[in-house]
Amino acid sequence: MNPNSCANCWFNALQHDTVGLNRGFCVRHKLVLNVPSETTCGLLMRKDLGVVSAERLQAIHSKSASSDGPSPLWPAGSDPRRLTDTETKVLEQDHVAAEVVDYGRVDSSIATLARLSALPGARAEIGMLSLGRGYVRNCAVRDRRWTSGIHLFRWTVGKLGDLPVLEPRDFFVSTAVSLGRQLELAQWSILMLRIRMLDDIAHHARTARGDVAGGDDLAALPDLADAAAESVPRIEPTALVKWIRSTLAPRLQKALPTSAITDILGRVRSQYAEAA
Amino acid sequence: MATDSSRSWKKSKDPLYRGDAKDAVRSPHPSASPSIVRHVLQLEGPGTETPFLSTSEEKDYAQEFAGRNGRVWTALASKAEAAGAAHRPRKDLLQLLRSGAGDAAWPSASERQEARKRVEQWAEHLFDFQGMDDEATTRALRSVFE
C-alpha cells in the first residue's frame, strides 16, 4: 500500500493499514475511492504519521498534487473517472461506511463521530480516529481551541488499553506475512492510531490560545508515539497494551484527570450554546 | 494466498519484484540522502529521491506500485551486486531499523518503527546505489531488471 495514497489519508476513514473495505470514501471531496491505493491529492494527511510530520508532508505534496480531487499516483495513461465514483448507495449498505458518508452532511460532524465511537468493531473505531484527527485539527486551526477535541480525547482514552478485535473479513488485502502476524500488525497499527490521536490533541493544546485553560499538563507531555516506540520496541500489540495500561494511561489520567475533563465538557457545551 | 515468505525466500534462487513504469525502472539518486526511514515511508512525497530501489519478495505487493499502467519487474539480488549495487536484505533492514544504527538513524522512534513494520509486512529488500555514478547506475538498471 503506497504510503502517499488515499488509502493512508485520514480523510478516507474506511481503511487503515490492511484493515477496512476494499473501497474508500473521501470526506473532503465526497467521492467513493475505487482504488484508494492508486490515487492521491494535495490535501493528503497521512494516518501513519504524527500531525507535525503529516502537515510537513502535505505542504510538500501539495506542490505537485492537485487539491481539486483524487488523481492517479501514476498519471500516464490512467483514466481518472475509473478511479472514483459519486454514487454512494451501495457503499452505504455497510454500517460504518454509512456514517462516514454522512459525515458533515445531515448531522453535525461531532454527532457522526459520537455514533462511530459507540459502534462496535475495529473498523468503526478507525472511522472515528481518522475523521477525529481531522476534526480536532480543523477546530485548532480555525479558532485555536484544543478543547473542541475533548470528546475525542475521552472516547480514545476509554478504549486505550483494549486490544482491538479483528476478524479475517476485516482485511481488504493480504500481505507477505502469515494471517496471524497480519492480525498482530493491524492491531498494533490501531493502537498507534489511538496514541497519535492523543498526541494530536496534546500538540493542539501546546499551540492553543492563551485563554483556553486546562491543557497545560497535557501540553507538557512528550511525544507519546515516540515514547511508545522507545518503551516497546517489539511490534507486538499485547506488549504495547501492557505498556499502555501500566504507564501511558496513568500518565494521561494525571495530565488530564476526570474532574478536569468534566469541567472542560461544561465549558465546551456553554460555547456551543452561546454560538447557537 | 501469500505464504510466510520470511521462511522461504532464498537469495541464491528466488527473485525479487519491483512495481514500476512499463517502459523502464525509474532511476535511483545515488547522491541523495541514504536515510532508510525516509525512503521506506516516502517522507518527501511520491517519488522521494533516494539512492535506493525497493523490491519485494511478493509479486502481489510489487503490483500495487506498478498500478494499472505499469508492470512488475523481476531481479536477482546476485545480479544487482554484480552490477555494483548493494543488496540490503529484509532481515538486515529489520535489524537496522530496530537499532536505529547507520542508515536507519532517525529522530523519531515511532516513524522508525512504522518503517520497520512496512519492511516486515511487505517483505521489502533494497538495492542500494550509493557511490555509483549515473552511467554505472543506468547500466545496472538495464542488466538487473527484467
Side-chain angles (χ1 to χ4, degrees), chain A residues 231-266:
Chain A
S231 303
V232 191
R234 304 186 313 282
I235 303 179
E236 282 177 17
T238 47
L240 185 52
V241 161
K242 211 170 165 183
W243 176 81
I244 287 170
R245 288 179 186 167
S246 65
T247 307
L248 179 56
R251 201 166 187 181
L252 287 167
Q253 172 64 17
K254 200 175 170 195
L256 200 62
T258 310
S259 55
I261 293 174
T262 306
D263 177 55
I264 291 167
L265 282 168

Side-chain angles (χ1 to χ4, degrees), chain A residues 116-261:
Chain A
L116 281 168
S117 167
L119 283 175
R123 290 198 298 111
E125 184 180 3
I126 286 167
M128 186 270 286
L129 291 169
S130 297
L131 296 178
R133 292 185 72 188
Y135 177 86
V136 299
R137 180 174 178 261
N138 203 39
C139 293
V141 165
R142 193 181 56 216
D143 60 7
R144 290 178 62 214
R145 286 181 193 275
W146 73 271
T147 46
S148 304
I150 194 64
H151 291 291
L152 286 146
F153 181 90
R154 201 164 53 91
W155 298 329
T156 305
V157 166
K159 293 182 189 188
L160 193 58
D162 297 343
L163 194 64
V165 176
L166 288 159
E167 299 171 350
R169 63 178 173 174
D170 289 323
F171 298 108
F172 68 93
V173 65
S174 60
T175 69
V177 299
S178 65
L179 183 58
R181 183 56 179 162
Q182 181 174 350
L183 178 102
E184 286 185 340
L185 295 178
Q187 287 174 317
W188 178 88
S189 293
I190 294 170
L191 290 166
M192 289 303 285
L193 189 60
R194 291 175 188 167
I195 293 173
R196 294 233 181 263
M197 165 65 88
L198 299 171
D199 261 335
D200 287 3
I201 295 171
H203 168 76
H204 297 312
R206 273 175 224 121
T207 55
R209 40 197 268 190
D211 60 342
V212 179
D216 290 347
D217 290 339
L218 195 64
L221 288 172
D223 187 297
L224 300 174
D226 281 348
E230 283 155 9
S231 303
V232 191
R234 304 186 313 282
I235 303 179
E236 282 177 17
T238 47
L240 185 52
V241 161
K242 211 170 165 183
W243 176 81
I244 287 170
R245 288 179 186 167
S246 65
T247 307
L248 179 56
R251 201 166 187 181
L252 287 167
Q253 172 64 17
K254 200 175 170 195
L256 200 62
T258 310
S259 55
I261 293 174

Side-chain angles (χ1 to χ4, degrees), chain B residues 97-111:
Chain B
L97 285 164
R98 176 144 180 175
S99 68
D103 290 338
W106 192 252
S108 165
S110 62
E111 289 176 5

Side-chain angles (χ1 to χ4, degrees), chain B residues 93-123:
Chain B
L93 293 175
L94 291 174
Q95 223 162 345
L96 267 180
L97 285 164
R98 176 144 180 175
S99 68
D103 290 338
W106 192 252
S108 165
S110 62
E111 289 176 5
R112 182 159 47 83
Q113 200 173 43
E114 179 66 35
R116 183 153 60 94
K117 185 204 78 177
R118 277 188 176 267
V119 168
E120 178 187 352
Q121 196 171 40
W122 303 108

Side-chain angles (χ1 to χ4, degrees), chain B residues 53-75:
Chain B
L53 288 181
S54 289
T55 61
S56 173
E57 295 166 24
E58 289 290 314
K59 198 172 182 180
D60 286 348
Y61 181 54
Q63 184 61 55
E64 287 261 329
F65 283 85
R68 304 202 170 192
N69 298 296
R71 60 165 278 203
V72 174
W73 297 81
T74 306

